[in-house]
Amino acid sequence: RSVVAVTTDLDEALRGADFVFSAIRVGGLAGRAADERVALAEGVLGQETVGAGGIAYGLRTVPVATAIARRVAELAPDAWVINFTNPAGLVTEAMSRVLGDRVIGICDSPVGLGRRVTRLLGVDPDEAWFDYVGLNHLGWLRGVRVAGRDVLPRLLADPRALGSFEEGKLFGPEWLRSLGAVPNEYLHYYYFNREAVRGYREAGRTRGAYLQEQQTGFYGAPSLDTWHRTLADREATYMAANREAAGAGERTEEDLEPGGYENVALALMRAIARDERTTLILNVRNGTTLSVLDADAVIEVPCFVDANGAHPVSVAPLPYHAVGLVTAVKAVEREVMAAARGGSRSAAVKAFALHPLVDSVPVARRLLDAYVEEHPGLAYLAPH
């Protein structure tokens, strides 16, 4: 007989837990809207996980996530932590400094990408091996192997099919063929940064402000019907500014299919709890998987999962263009963790200044000062 209990006391929730889901938003949607607004005022990207907005969100979130990890280590040391909280790779790595391999980050972006590509190829996604590698929201699908044969080149050679799905519309068939891979949709912020910033500025309101208004309306009169409508609208408007900038049009019906985070989380739990061995794309510590990063760096790669947790599989080295982005963004994440750990303003400025989408020390300083003014949760970085 199952019993569902509700509590607002973290320690009470953790005692006796086998699995812990960590899905928090420090500062709420008002904080996200402020992250986006402050960045755009400086002419740089303010997305939730990418660029200045992601750094600000990380600086608020890492101290809280680390404190949760410490309570898990104290009260439920044998529990597995499944991290949903964004920026997922950064937060998972910060928690791993306390919990080691017992924290695993999940994201539905690679799952959605794999589903779209296999649909075009007429392949069962359960029968395919996805050669996907990178960081969270910074990865590339380099191959799709079925019975030992890579079928992705067939898609890359078909301009009509290549331009018919979400990533093809965002990036354009020519760019995908140039890369020889299909990037995670979040790489649109890097490859088309000026266009994305212009699109966000022309949108009139940021994604965070839109979601804040939408959710306020839903909770004013909640029902199952309004929940379904709200969720459908949220999915339909996902990355709308990017699609507008790329001339990609509206999302297709297939791209609105549910089944992302929850399916990954449940598959991960089943594999560990029941030793139902499976392969999933997860955020885990690197070990020796990518030679350009150290062992403690959290990466997003296919993992073999069993009762002993998630084990990253061997992957081919990254091409140099990907190495540059991955190592630059990992350096930024490390500065965010250093700032959160020691309350270091200089580390926080470095995080902003070193990010490829900020690339200005004066702008970095102004961003930090503006974010500290906006967010009580960043008071630890205020000038002494």
Side-chain angles (χ1 to χ4, degrees):
R1 180 168 172 255
S2 299
V3 176
V4 177
V6 178
T7 180
T8 58
D9 184 275
L10 176 63
D11 287 4
E12 182 181 345
L14 292 177
R15 290 189 182 95
D18 294 314
F19 291 93
V20 176
F21 291 87
S22 180
I24 61 176
R25 182 175 289 282
V26 180
L29 282 173
R32 175 176 179 176
D35 291 342
E36 296 165 344
R37 184 180 68 250
V38 166
L40 286 173
E42 285 288 350
V44 298
L45 185 71
Q47 205 274 336
E48 178 189 23
T49 61
V50 177
I55 293 169
Y57 190 24
L59 289 169
R60 288 201 310 281
T61 306
V62 165
V64 179
T66 301
I68 291 171
R70 291 194 184 105
R71 297 312 295 156
V72 173
E74 178 70 23
L75 299 172
D78 295 327
W80 292 92
V81 176
I82 301 174
N83 178 57
F84 290 172
T85 301
N86 275 327
L90 167 61
V91 171
T92 300
E93 183 166 332
M95 297 183 83
S96 76
R97 299 302 170 90
V98 179
L99 299 169
D101 293 328
R102 298 195 80 85
V103 58
I104 299 167
I106 69 171
C107 181
D108 65 345
S109 289
V111 175
L113 171 55
R115 185 176 60 203
R116 289 187 286 273
V117 167
T118 52
R119 184 175 61 242
L120 283 170
L121 288 167
V123 169
D124 182 350
D126 293 332
E127 300 298 322
W129 171 267
F130 297 105
D131 178 12
Y132 181 94
V133 61
L135 306 180
N136 179 240
H137 290 179
L138 192 78
W140 296 262
L141 179 64
R142 305 182 298 181
V144 179
R145 295 198 169 273
V146 179
R149 178 170 163 262
D150 185 6
V151 295
L152 185 61
R154 178 156 54 88
L155 175 60
L156 293 173
D158 185 341
R160 178 173 294 183
L162 203 54
S164 69
F165 74 119
E166 181 139 324
E167 285 75 11
K169 294 174 184 176
L170 271 179
F171 297 103
E174 184 179 352
W175 183 239
L176 299 189
R177 285 197 301 272
S178 295
L179 292 174
V182 183
N184 184 295
E185 59 202 345
Y186 281 81
L187 274 154
H188 189 266
Y189 295 115
Y190 293 86
Y191 293 143
F192 296 85
N193 180 247
R194 295 185 185 192
E195 292 78 9
V197 170
R198 184 170 63 248
Y200 272 72
R201 285 181 139 175
E202 293 174 352
R205 60 177 172 175
T206 68
R207 176 68 170 170
Y210 163 75
L211 292 175
Q212 186 180 12
E213 179 181 312
Q214 185 201 55
Q215 292 191 20
T216 299
F218 166 74
Y219 286 113
S223 71
L224 185 57
D225 285 342
T226 55
W227 164 248
H228 285 308
R229 286 198 298 272
T230 300
L231 183 61
D233 186 59
R234 180 190 180 102
E235 290 299 319
T237 57
Y238 178 68
M239 293 187 77
N242 299 73
R243 293 199 308 279
E244 179 71 22
E250 296 185 356
R251 300 185 78 189
T252 64
E253 191 68 29
E254 292 87 351
D255 291 336
L256 299 178
E257 295 174 8
Y261 280 111
E262 67 276 19
N263 283 352
V264 179
L266 289 170
L268 176 58
M269 290 176 65
R270 282 194 297 268
I272 294 175
R274 302 175 184 172
D275 201 19
E276 293 182 5
R277 302 178 181 187
T278 190
T279 303
L280 299 168
I281 298 172
L282 300 167
N283 286 267
V284 295
R285 291 202 293 184
N286 176 48
T288 59
T289 306
L290 288 179
S291 60
V292 296
L293 296 175
D294 60 60
D296 293 329
V298 164
I299 60 175
E300 190 169 80
V301 288
C303 296
F304 175 69
V305 190
D306 59 14
N308 296 312
H311 319 281
V313 302
S314 297
V315 296
L318 287 166
Y320 282 139
H321 70 84
V323 168
L325 281 176
V326 165
T327 53
V329 172
K330 182 55 68 177
V332 169
E333 291 182 351
R334 291 288 170 81
E335 295 299 338
V336 171
M337 286 187 278
R341 184 170 57 248
S344 168
R345 278 182 59 84
S346 64
V349 169
K350 280 178 70 179
F352 286 111
L354 293 175
H355 199 286
L357 303 185
V358 176
D359 66 15
S360 165
V361 175
V363 169
R365 289 173 177 148
R366 292 198 298 270
L367 284 168
L368 178 58
D369 288 340
Y371 283 131
V372 168
E373 188 173 333
E374 284 277 353
H375 300 303
L378 292 183
Y380 73 96
L381 294 171
H384 298 301

